[in-house]
Amino acid sequence: MRAGGPGFVGKTWALVVKDVKLELRARDTLPPMVAFAGAVAVLLAFSIPSSGNLSAPVRIVAGSAPLTDVLAGFLWVTVLFAGLIGFARTFEVEREEAAIDSLLMAPLDRSGLFFGKAIPNLLFIVLVEAILIPLFAILFGIDLGGSWAVLASVALLADLGFVAVGTLFSALAAQTSSRELILPILALPVLVPVFIAAVVLTSDLFAGSSLDEVARRGWFAILVAFDVIFITAGALLFEFTVE
């Protein structure tokens, strides 16, 4: 019989499995995220004129912009608000009957609690994008050719920073009665760099840029730096947000 219990990774993974199982039973987080993202995509398909030429300019309030910029912007705005819907429910179960106190009593470092919440959030975001991005491609005739893997890499980098910030601030917002309002107010200013980078790089890919061209853009480095900074900050500061 093995001495001691599971280590840091095992305990963190147990929290991840717990949240995923709860979602599979209750279906309170992922279905609203998917429904919102799908509804926005369909509405945009009827609102944005598409000639099949992604380089064609589209009229917007301030003038005109390439269709690639417009579609990339709407894609990531949809991901942003779908993600905020999910993040607002990160601590919903723990809020009931003061279950958060039991979670904090777990023999696990607070950084483990952070990753135990962040990983399910990342999984939900990835699942939403796995539906939303192909839907955008079908509705707007986006042909990425062999660049799908590059787009997936850009999306994953954006998701890591997004989830790190969202999970950290959801812990703060969960302690208020207006968490659905407080969370966007706290998170949106911090998320500006990661979503600008994601929009610019996605637009480049929609326009036919290659991996080398995308990797040379400064925005790609900004995504990597943002992820490193905020994943580290989230792990270190999480204990101060949940106490």
Side-chain angles (χ1 to χ4, degrees):
M1 186 173 180
R2 188 178 61 178
F8 177 87
V9 174
K11 294 175 182 178
T12 301
W13 186 249
L15 291 177
V16 173
V17 172
K18 183 263 296 182
D19 279 359
V20 171
K21 286 184 176 180
L22 287 174
E23 174 58 23
L24 291 176
R25 293 173 185 170
R27 299 183 180 90
D28 289 334
T29 302
L30 188 58
M33 294 171 66
V34 172
F36 172 82
V40 171
V42 173
L43 287 173
L44 290 175
F46 287 97
S47 303
I48 300 177
S50 176
S51 63
N53 180 12
L54 294 180
S55 299
V58 176
R59 288 185 175 274
I60 57 176
V61 175
S64 63
L67 183 57
T68 54
D69 290 350
V70 175
L71 292 180
F74 277 120
L75 171 65
W76 283 105
V77 167
T78 304
V79 171
L80 170 63
F81 286 102
L84 291 176
I85 290 173
F87 296 155
R89 298 192 58 82
T90 298
F91 290 91
E92 188 67 22
V93 173
E94 285 78 8
R95 280 172 53 89
E96 299 176 1
E97 300 181 5
I100 185 67
D101 295 331
S102 299
L103 181 65
L104 295 177
M105 291 175 63
L108 177 64
D109 187 81
R110 296 293 185 260
S111 61
L113 297 181
F114 170 76
F115 290 114
K117 287 296 184 180
I119 292 174
N121 283 337
L122 177 62
L123 177 61
F124 298 152
I125 291 291
V126 169
L127 289 175
V128 169
E129 291 175 347
I131 297 171
L132 181 63
I133 294 176
L135 184 58
F136 258 70
I138 293 170
L139 292 175
F140 298 103
I142 300 171
D143 184 10
L144 290 173
S147 298
W148 282 101
V150 184
L151 179 58
S153 300
V154 170
L156 181 59
L157 286 175
D159 294 344
L160 288 172
F162 182 27
V163 167
V165 172
T167 304
L168 179 63
F169 285 119
S170 67
L172 283 173
Q175 302 176 41
T176 69
S177 58
S178 304
R179 59 193 179 279
E180 290 86 358
L181 297 176
I182 298 298
L183 178 58
I185 293 173
L186 293 174
L188 287 177
V190 181
L191 290 170
V192 168
V194 72
F195 276 91
I196 291 178
V199 169
V200 172
L201 295 176
T202 302
S203 178
D204 288 346
L205 290 172
F206 285 173
S209 296
S210 65
L211 172 61
D212 291 339
E213 292 171 331
V214 170
R216 285 197 298 267
R217 295 294 299 268
W219 290 110
F220 194 87
I222 288 175
L223 273 183
V224 175
F226 189 97
D227 292 348
V228 172
I229 291 170
F230 281 94
I231 290 175
T232 303
L236 294 176
L237 299 176
F238 193 71
E239 64 176 310
F240 302 106
T241 63
V242 296
E243 293 294 346

